Amino acid sequence: MSTQPVDRRADEFFRALQRRDSSYEGIFVVGVRTTGIFCRPTCPARKPLRGNVEFFPSAHEALYAGFRPCLRCKPMNVGREVPALVEKLRRMVEEGQSDPLRERDLLRMGIEPSTARRQFQKYFGMSFHAYQRARRMGSALAAVRKGRNLLDTQLAHGFESSSGFREAFAKLFGTVPSKANGVHCLFARWIETPLGAILALANDSGLYVLDWVDRRGLEREILRLRHKTKFAIVPGDHVVLGQAAQEIGEYFAGERAAFTLPFAPRGTDFQRRVWDALLEIPPGETRSYAEIARQIGAPKAVRAVARANGDNFRGIVIPCHRVIGSDGSLTGYGGGLARKKWLLEHERSLVSRAA
């Protein structure tokens, strides 16, 4: 967490608070003098007046100042807490993918289906029904690839009719179950961090995407990726995703400054040259777009370098946040300038502690 005095950025932080800007998660917490409570930037509670708030760079500093944590947004939790209902249903899906939970099943458990749908949509960006379907079909694909009989797979994954199974399979994967060996998937995982959630997409070729779930352009990039590769995207586990979660966790814990993740081949030749140059920027240092352009032998392609930097979509691990303007300004960053500033200060702190 940055230790820079926050009073210089109080107006910026208050505007972020009014917008409930998720890119400021982990950057500050706000204390409300009239209630004695401190909150996250995204707290859903009614927003206080400007003169009644005080900003802190961490929850601990707010506690030391005499504020108590908000019970609604729970600012003491690192990252975003998984709602209890979402985690309960997710575990039930993982433990029994062959038995889809329908609305009547949820009602028998005392769960309102609309609540489950709304909470899943808010946390995962898809409804509970869509999550179940994706996991069931991903599991079915794995079973067919391992040589399991199609009828057995159909019945084991909750499909009573062969036509229903074929239709659902083809809708997600673009082909019939008998051609499963030709299907390619990207597995998706959300990774929680102190600055907000990150979406990771990977398969046996390596990491395709690792970026903030709220960054502008991410949804459009995923659609482009699906169109170009013809890959289906399903939630699930993969060794690359596990490695990504571990290394990102170590990075934010101050235990890692460099990454060893395998990258899937992506981008044009020019983009790859830019991304390779980004990987050569040491933690704790920055380079300008013009310096990157000269490094790759294209000194006049500064704007093209900036575009390639923005098209990275494997943030942090390919450190596009280490590129700044020639005048030293932070310039743009898809995850928001507040995050970019935090990451640079975090890495400088890592380097200074290691020295």
Side-chain angles (χ1 to χ4, degrees):
M1 180 68 67
S2 170
T3 59
Q4 178 184 356
V6 296
D7 54 349
R8 296 183 219 160
R9 305 178 65 187
D11 290 339
E12 172 195 350
F13 288 169
F14 187 69
R15 290 192 295 270
L17 178 68
Q18 290 179 307
R19 298 191 304 269
R20 294 187 174 93
D21 192 333
S22 61
S23 70
Y24 282 78
E25 283 285 350
I27 307 299
F28 72 83
V29 296
V30 57
V32 184
R33 299 188 184 101
T34 52
T35 62
I37 289 172
F38 72 94
C39 302
R40 297 173 180 267
T42 55
C43 183
R46 182 178 177 181
K47 295 308 175 189
L49 298 174
R50 174 69 178 82
N52 293 335
V53 299
E54 186 175 353
F55 297 99
F56 302 93
S58 71
H60 290 98
E61 292 193 33
L63 287 171
Y64 293 145
F67 293 91
R68 64 185 187 277
C70 174
L71 295 179
R72 292 187 69 179
C73 66
K74 300 179 180 179
M76 296 301 295
N77 292 341
V78 176
R80 183 176 56 158
E81 183 180 24
V82 182
L85 176 59
V86 170
E87 180 60 17
K88 176 182 178 180
L89 292 177
R90 189 193 67 81
R91 287 185 179 276
M92 292 181 71
V93 171
E94 297 302 318
E95 292 169 1
Q97 291 178 25
S98 61
D99 300 310
L101 293 170
R102 297 179 171 83
E103 288 195 359
R104 61 177 179 270
D105 301 316
L106 297 178
L107 289 170
R108 276 199 295 268
M109 293 186 287
I111 298 171
E112 175 57 45
S114 62
T115 301
R117 182 167 53 250
R118 184 173 62 252
Q119 290 197 16
F120 257 79
Q121 186 70 42
K122 183 176 181 180
Y123 190 81
F124 282 117
M126 63 171 64
S127 69
F128 176 56
H129 176 69
Y131 182 89
Q132 278 197 105
R133 183 174 62 247
R135 289 299 290 128
R136 287 167 62 208
M137 297 313 300
S139 176
L141 173 64
V144 174
R145 280 178 164 172
K146 291 178 181 177
R148 189 168 183 176
N149 178 274
L150 286 179
L151 179 59
D152 291 343
T153 303
Q154 165 203 317
L155 296 174
H157 289 81
F159 289 90
E160 297 178 359
S161 73
S162 298
S163 60
F165 178 55
R166 285 196 304 272
E167 181 180 349
F169 195 98
K171 184 175 181 180
L172 182 61
F173 299 121
T175 190
V176 294
S178 60
K179 297 183 179 179
N181 286 330
V183 171
H184 298 284
C185 287
L186 282 175
F187 297 95
R189 177 169 178 173
W190 283 45
I191 301 172
E192 293 295 341
T193 82
L195 300 187
I198 286 175
L199 174 68
L201 301 178
N203 63 15
D204 291 344
S205 296
L207 186 71
Y208 278 83
V209 169
L210 191 141
D211 221 323
W212 307 103
V213 298
D214 59 359
R215 78 152 286 180
R216 58 184 181 272
L218 179 60
E219 184 176 355
R220 185 172 62 252
E221 175 64 16
I222 291 173
L223 289 174
R224 277 201 300 262
L225 182 62
R226 288 188 64 181
H227 178 74
K228 184 174 182 179
T229 63
K230 310 302 181 187
F231 289 171
I233 298 177
V234 295
D237 294 323
H238 190 277
V239 62
V240 175
L241 297 179
Q243 182 181 349
Q246 179 179 340
E247 294 193 7
I248 286 292
E250 291 169 351
Y251 171 84
F252 279 100
E255 300 167 357
R256 172 183 292 274
F259 298 88
T260 61
L261 286 161
F263 298 126
R266 289 199 60 190
T268 65
D269 177 67
F270 182 85
Q271 287 175 323
R272 290 193 294 270
R273 285 159 58 199
V274 172
W275 299 338
D276 287 344
L278 300 183
L279 290 168
E280 295 180 17
I281 306 174
E285 298 184 18
T286 57
R287 299 288 186 273
S288 70
Y289 296 106
E291 288 175 315
I292 296 295
R294 288 194 294 271
Q295 181 179 339
I296 66 172
K300 296 183 179 180
V302 176
R303 289 186 179 180
V305 165
R307 285 195 297 272
N309 195 65
D311 288 338
N312 173 21
F313 289 98
R314 286 180 285 203
I316 302 180
V317 294
I318 297 181
C320 52
H321 62 279
R322 295 178 193 161
V323 184
I324 60 175
S326 296
D327 61 355
S329 61
L330 292 185
T331 67
Y333 179 61
L337 292 182
R339 282 188 179 126
K340 182 171 185 174
K341 184 179 181 64
W342 191 99
L343 294 172
L344 291 174
E345 292 180 353
H346 175 65
E347 291 175 353
R348 292 187 188 109
S349 176
L350 284 175
V351 171
S352 65
R353 289 203 305 268

